[in-house]
Amino acid sequence: MSRPFAGVRILDFTRYLAGPYGTYQLALLGADVVKIESHEGDDTRGQLADPVWAERKMAPSFLAVNGNKRSITLDLRRPEAVEIVNPRLIYCAVSGFGQTGPERTTAAFDGKLQAMSGIMSITGEPAHGPTRAGFAICDTIGGLTAALAVASALFQRTHTGRGQLVDVAMLDASLAFLPGPVSEYTVAGIPPRQLGNGSVSRKPTASRFRARDGYIVLAALTEKQFASLMRTLGRADALADPRFKDWPARTANEPALREIIENALATDTPKGWEARLTAADVPCGSIWRLDEIVHHPQLEHRDVLQTIDSRYGPMRLVGAGFRLAHGSPGLDREPPTLGEHTDEVLREAGYGTDEIERLRRGGVI
């Protein structure tokens, strides 16, 4: 079964993370994504998290979002190069603030957008000040939004026959992922604040708690779950305590309730409690490190991390976050070396061998 975007070609001029992440999602879904790079290549090719991979111009941050793509190098300052990549009918621009508005020319990267979008103002503990997320969340949100926007434009073209400009602003996209906190302020006038490890539900049994040798996150949000939590912790007596008779009372007496819960949790490890509470239908989770979760049998079963053969040996990379009954997204091609497919793509575009060599001698490719 062919994938949803089989037969669609995408010219990818993007760099860093937001744009490449978006085109990666479409590549996983079968689109032929041709990455257009300068002679120096995408800046992320040389990121120094690992010097060996950086020297290869294949840094992990590049590999993470460029599988299933082909790469050609072009000097877009040359008229001949512009002729090669004459724009297609649907053109997607991903930027910090979009193509219109007073900030349209302002440079933006993930850190600026985390700060400006309000994300940092509601993240972390109040005592520690605004806190940046542990990954490039605004870049990722921008890329995911771009993939959805391009898919929307492609579908619309099937019944209008018209292409269009797709204008993705990462600030807009970040706000679109914050509907709850934004509407609390715009509708009810509730000022956003840092909740630390608490839940947006504000319920005191939906937070991070200390257990023996670590932490566990509880998400007991219903009366049934609260009762099951107390019984499993061996504190069924708390169910008759007037301080905890309902959610308003539990919230008002959160310090006392937390003390009861953490004293009980101190008798076992987070994973021990996770097993016991899960068996009792209490939503919870121990804190997994990335180097642990990538080996979880659930992810193995869902084939989220896919292994492909590469010139450097087997390579395990993250694929898409969903499956289809027919034509699921998948990773088939290793991320390209710089300019690896230049000749191949130009031949497909109708260029002959002599013409390709002329372009190479002239520094166009």
Side-chain angles (χ1 to χ4, degrees):
M1 178 67 67
S2 65
R3 293 183 179 138
F5 292 123
V8 174
R9 173 169 289 181
I10 294 173
L11 301 183
D12 180 3
F13 296 88
T14 64
R15 300 181 299 159
Y16 299 108
L17 178 55
Y21 182 77
T23 54
Y24 179 52
Q25 304 308 305
L26 299 170
L28 290 170
L29 287 163
D32 176 17
V33 178
V34 179
K35 188 172 179 67
I36 313 296
E37 301 187 73
S38 69
H39 294 316
E40 293 75 32
D42 190 322
D43 300 75
T44 60
R45 285 183 176 275
Q47 285 190 352
L48 295 174
D50 186 298
V52 173
W53 288 95
E55 179 67 25
R56 295 168 174 165
K57 288 189 173 294
M58 297 291 277
S61 55
F62 173 83
L63 298 174
V65 293
N66 285 290
N68 278 15
K69 300 180 185 180
R70 297 190 287 174
S71 168
I72 73 172
T73 55
L74 290 175
D75 183 354
L76 292 173
R77 297 167 296 184
R78 306 287 296 275
E80 303 98 316
V82 176
E83 290 175 7
I84 292 171
V85 293
N86 215 352
R88 297 292 298 274
L89 290 176
I90 293 174
Y91 173 70
C92 179
V94 183
S95 61
F97 302 102
Q99 305 302 299
T100 61
E103 298 286 348
R104 65 187 181 277
T105 61
T106 302
F109 283 84
D110 181 82
K112 178 181 177 67
L113 290 163
Q114 286 200 41
M116 190 173 179
S117 66
I119 289 175
M120 288 180 64
S121 74
I122 59 173
T123 304
E125 300 286 349
H128 299 149
T131 303
R132 190 168 175 169
F135 69 104
I137 187 170
C138 292
D139 276 344
T140 307
I141 288 171
L144 194 61
T145 301
L148 175 62
V150 168
S152 301
L154 284 168
F155 181 74
Q156 187 178 57
R157 190 176 66 178
T158 65
H159 55 269
T160 66
R162 298 176 60 189
Q164 60 186 298
L165 168 67
V166 177
D167 181 10
V168 177
M170 292 161 62
L171 179 63
D172 301 0
S174 298
L175 266 290
F177 272 66
L178 296 171
V182 170
S183 63
E184 284 182 356
Y185 176 71
T186 59
V187 175
I190 301 171
R193 61 184 179 88
Q194 290 171 285
L195 298 176
N197 286 292
S199 165
V200 294
S201 69
R202 271 85 164 176
K203 291 188 174 179
T205 50
S207 186
R208 185 196 71 180
F209 293 87
R210 185 180 293 277
R212 191 177 76 203
D213 302 327
Y215 295 92
I216 188 170
V217 172
L218 303 181
L221 299 171
T222 68
E223 289 294 338
K224 180 180 178 181
Q225 291 167 353
F226 177 74
S228 187
L229 171 64
M230 293 297 106
R231 293 190 181 102
T232 306
L233 293 177
R235 291 304 306 266
D237 59 296
L239 299 175
D241 191 321
R243 295 176 299 171
F244 314 128
K245 64 178 182 179
D246 55 24
W247 290 113
R250 293 162 200 158
T251 300
N253 293 284
E254 180 173 5
L257 182 57
R258 174 173 286 273
E259 183 178 8
I260 288 172
I261 293 172
E262 290 194 328
N263 284 342
L265 292 174
T267 62
D268 201 355
T269 63
K271 282 189 167 53
W273 278 116
E274 182 178 24
R276 292 158 68 178
L277 291 168
T278 299
D281 290 329
V282 178
C284 66
S286 57
I287 312 299
W288 291 65
R289 301 191 312 270
L290 281 175
D291 58 339
E292 295 175 320
I293 193 62
V294 295
H295 300 294
H296 196 289
Q298 176 67 18
L299 296 184
E300 296 280 357
H301 177 80
R302 298 277 298 175
D303 201 26
V304 176
L305 281 94
Q306 300 181 14
T307 301
I308 55 172
D309 292 327
S310 81
R311 56 185 58 81
Y312 306 110
M315 186 177 289
R316 197 163 178 242
L317 300 170
V318 178
F322 63 93
R323 291 289 173 268
L324 299 173
H326 310 290
S328 276
L331 189 58
D332 307 308
R333 186 199 296 264
E334 65 176 307
T337 57
L338 180 59
E340 178 180 350
H341 304 99
T342 300
D343 289 17
E344 177 183 306
V345 172
L346 290 180
R347 282 195 294 270
E348 291 173 4
Y351 287 79
T353 301
D354 291 344
E355 199 167 7
I356 291 173
E357 286 306 313
R358 179 183 63 79
L359 291 170
R360 180 166 283 113
R361 286 194 303 271
V364 177
I365 60 175

